[in-house]
């Protein structure tokens, strides 16, 4: 039914549905402000029984048909949520870790070795991204405590991993399943290169 100004008027059932959804959102907002992290202890899939949000997800069969509801929706099982990271939870954890933190040192010595890794935040079946375990090590060869002859041998052994223009040696570890193992692997490769370069050759 259309009103006098041309806008479509909602029937009684639609208004009751809107009020019901509004009440649900207010209840969820109240629970979120209090402490929702007691219900969701970690990242998990969406549970319509614990969190009754009026959401829909999925591809409709027909354009005039709405996507399926949250209850029993298989599409919502594919994406983990972060409802456990409430502001109260983050504030409480940071406060608990404050006693374990130390002041940043004012004078740091030159550290030529640089390790790079990336953290990904994306929508997928798992929180861990397939590329998050990759570790890249960069070191400037002139900063290494090596003799001139040893540096030449290291450049020869590194091959394509050494950039002649920037004088940077780059080692990438991605074969191991975890980031810690890849970090140890690239450090082992650097140690092996330094030891082999220090060997005297005729």
């Amino acid at each position: 039914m259309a009103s006098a100004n041309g806008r479509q008027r909602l029937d009684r059932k639609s208004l009751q549905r809107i009020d019901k959804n509004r009440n649900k959102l207010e209840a969820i907002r109240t629970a979120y402000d209090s402490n929702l992290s007691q219900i969701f202890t970690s990242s998990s899939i969406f549970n319509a029984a614990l969190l009754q949000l009026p959401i829909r997800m999925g591809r409709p069969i027909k354009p005039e048909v709405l996507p399926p509801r949250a209850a029993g929706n298989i599409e919502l099982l594919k994406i983990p949520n972060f409802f456990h990271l409430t502001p109260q939870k983050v504030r409480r954890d940071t406060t608990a870790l404050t006693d374990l933190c130390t002041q940043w040192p004012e004078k740091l010595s030159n550290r030529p070795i640089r390790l790079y890794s990336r953290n990904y935040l994306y929508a997928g079946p798992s929180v861990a991204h397939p590329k998050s375990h990759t570790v890249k090590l960069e070191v400037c060869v002139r900063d290494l405590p090596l003799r001139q002859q040893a540096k030449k041998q290291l450049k020869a052994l590194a091959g394509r991993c050494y950039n002649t223009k920037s004088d940077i040696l780059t080692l990438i570890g991605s074969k191991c399943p975890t980031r810690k193992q890849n970090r140890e692997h690239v450090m082992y490769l650097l140690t092996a290169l330094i030891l082999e370069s220090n060997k005297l050759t005729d």
Side-chain angles (χ1 to χ4, degrees):
M1 181 182 297
S3 59
N5 54 5
R7 295 182 179 180
Q8 187 177 3
R9 296 179 58 183
L10 299 176
D11 54 1
R12 182 177 298 178
K13 290 184 178 180
S14 299
L15 292 175
Q16 291 177 354
R17 192 182 304 112
I18 293 174
D19 292 338
K20 185 178 180 180
N21 293 337
R22 185 182 294 111
N23 294 332
K24 288 183 179 179
L25 290 176
E26 289 295 334
I28 294 300
R29 186 179 293 108
T30 303
Y32 189 84
D33 292 337
S34 59
N35 197 353
L36 196 63
S37 60
Q38 294 182 357
I39 302 175
F40 300 96
T41 57
S42 62
S43 177
S44 60
I45 59 177
F46 183 79
N47 192 343
L50 295 177
L51 199 62
Q52 299 181 0
L53 288 175
I55 60 176
R56 296 173 179 268
M57 185 174 180
R59 175 179 294 181
I61 302 176
K62 298 179 181 180
E64 62 273 8
V65 179
L66 294 175
R69 297 179 181 272
N73 194 331
I74 302 178
E75 295 295 329
L76 288 174
L77 301 179
K78 301 178 181 179
I79 303 176
N81 58 71
F82 297 91
F83 287 113
H84 64 289
L85 295 178
T86 60
Q88 292 79 11
K89 170 70 172 177
V90 175
R91 193 179 302 111
R92 185 169 62 252
D93 291 347
T94 53
T95 304
L97 293 175
T98 303
D99 298 336
L100 303 176
C101 297
T102 58
Q103 294 183 357
W104 188 261
E106 298 179 357
K107 296 181 180 180
L108 290 176
S109 59
N110 185 20
R111 297 185 179 183
I113 300 176
R114 296 178 295 273
L115 292 171
Y116 299 96
S117 59
R118 291 184 179 181
N119 295 323
Y120 295 86
L121 185 62
Y122 76 114
S126 175
V127 179
H129 194 273
K131 296 182 179 180
S132 61
H133 64 278
T134 304
V135 176
K136 182 174 70 171
L137 182 147
E138 287 187 356
V139 58
C140 195
V141 177
R142 63 174 174 268
D143 294 335
L144 296 176
L146 296 174
R147 294 175 287 103
Q148 194 65 25
Q149 182 63 26
K151 291 182 180 180
K152 291 182 180 179
Q153 292 183 186
L154 186 142
K155 297 174 184 178
L157 291 172
R160 293 183 298 178
C161 296
Y162 173 72
N163 190 342
T164 56
K165 295 182 179 179
S166 59
D167 194 32
I168 292 178
L169 174 66
T170 304
L171 300 175
I172 298 177
S174 60
K175 302 297 182 181
C176 300
T178 62
R179 182 182 297 177
K180 182 177 181 294
Q181 293 174 341
N182 286 316
R183 186 185 299 112
E184 294 176 352
H185 178 60
V186 293
M187 292 300 295
Y188 165 76
L189 292 177
L190 179 62
T191 304
L193 283 173
I194 293 175
L195 292 177
E196 290 294 329
S197 301
N198 281 326
K199 289 183 178 180
L200 297 177
T201 58
D202 295 335

